Amino acid sequence: MDDAKSDGGSGPRSGAKVPSTVARLPRQVREELTLRLRRTKRAFREEDVQVVEKPLLKRAVGASALGNCMEWFDFGVYSYLAATIGKVFFPGASPAAQVISSFATFAAAFVVRPLGGLFFGPLGDRVGRQKVLATTMIMMALGTFSIGLIPSYASIGIAAPVLLLFARMVQGFSTGGEYGGATTFVAEYSPDRRRGFLSSWLDFGTFVGYALGSALVTVLNLALTDAQMLHWGWRLPFLIAGPLGIIGLYMRLKLEESPAFQQQLDEHEKGLAQESAGSEFRTIVREHWRPLLVCMGLVLLYNVTNYMVTGYLPTYQTETLDRSSGFADVLVLIGMVWIVLLITFLGRLSDHVGRRPLYAVGAASMIVLAIPAFLLLKADGIWAPVLGVLLLSTLLACFAAPSAATLPALFPTAVRYAAMAIGFNFAVAAFGGTTPLVAEALVSITGDELMPAYYLMVAGAIGLVAVRFLPESAQVPLHGSQPMVGSRQEQRELITTSKDLYSFSKDRSKAL
């Protein structure tokens, strides 16, 4: 930063250099802290800087990640068993129609996700994040567990797919409050300097859950005959959700409310937090429509890629490319393990280089690499398809790693849960969960096996537009929240920095 300008020597420290403590701050952090200091007209005191206790932080991150792990365990299982579920619940249809019907049921859960977001989001802003997240956890577990108990079409006829649809809608409704709430909760617990790294553990849980679900199905496919899988084997992964849900519920009930939410209820935002759901929704649309659109654009980019890789690639390999289910399962499992290895590293990277560069590089690379990746997936042999799935998985990791830190930072505390639930779930419902269905339908209609790549390229272009309007939030305190630090030492350092920044800002104003 250049030296402060002199006003002809009239200022007391005209031409003074920027203090070293201030110079080390990223530009976006310096700007945010300067605005806060101008509002308060003083430097920070101890009560102005929130210290997060490490045991509470670990529990918050762990319990939130477990919920995502369980949610995506189900998605991994359902995606890998799409063809089998089609045979069990839609036996009269052709093989292609069975797969499309199975994916249509998969997509139906996403239709009700916005309803869940509209219900749970405002509730989380009024009664608290922890209570709502405990509720969504048990609902998800019950919905997944019940799928394993539904009789087949051969046993009860049309009631079987109807019950499957109902169970998926219960899952979708509860999930409408899950991811937005979990990201909000973790972001509000995380120290500002490490929010990208700590929040990336949430999506780490996502891909661990998917990998565990897909690995379990892969093992069952190898251990059981096709007849056994069709008769009873497919039920086992869904039944595991019951015990997982009990463990997750116990962990979430042990959590304390996030510091940002507690602070909100003690201060001037309490009135806004107690608004009716309808009033809060109108406030979000009227006052926060720009960040809401940015949120939806980034969610579209992330989730179209996500569901293309996790939801569609297993079926693309078996039904479109006529490969064995074992090869397809292992191929996508390799991609999930690669994401698990990358994601927290990229989350930490986003704390240092920023969220915007990571998104921008990923979106631009998507436009360039989508077709080459699918050409590799279509190639003969083993290593070319492996390289193709690793390319797509790397791009997916670039979007997954910063998302849980970036999206909550777009909104103030009083409406954060609701705005996240609305923006995230509407985008996922319209574009994410429908990706396997749309991709399969496009391939079936056109006969062009590269249609999924074109779809990804469009998502990349939309993502670049969203990044253009995305404010950088790395290391910046959340809107409506106190600065968050991880230790008393960091608290003292920030207070010292605020004194230097406040003094420098005053002297610079006098010098201009």
Side-chain angles (χ1 to χ4, degrees), residues 149-228:
L149 300 177
I150 299 174
S152 66
Y153 186 94
S155 300
I156 60 173
I158 192 64
V162 170
L163 289 174
L164 175 65
L165 180 63
F166 179 75
R168 288 290 299 157
M169 293 178 77
V170 170
Q171 290 176 320
F173 189 80
S174 61
T175 304
E178 172 63 29
Y179 187 81
T183 55
T184 295
F185 194 76
V186 172
E188 290 179 347
Y189 252 108
S190 299
D192 299 330
R193 294 180 185 176
R194 304 176 64 213
R195 185 172 296 117
F197 170 67
L198 292 169
S199 296
S200 68
W201 285 96
L202 191 65
D203 287 277
F204 175 90
T206 291
F207 292 101
V208 166
Y210 187 93
L212 290 174
S214 57
L216 178 57
V217 175
T218 301
V219 169
L220 289 174
N221 279 328
L222 294 174
L224 302 177
T225 65
D226 290 344
Q228 288 173 324

Side-chain angles (χ1 to χ4, degrees), residues 312 316 320-321 371 374-375 378 438-455:
Y312 181 63
Y316 180 75
T320 303
L321 303 181
I371 290 177
F374 268 84
L375 289 174
K378 284 164 47 66
V438 172
E440 177 68 17
L442 288 173
V443 171
S444 297
I445 293 169
T446 65
D448 187 346
E449 296 175 351
L450 290 178
M451 288 302 297
Y454 307 146
Y455 199 68

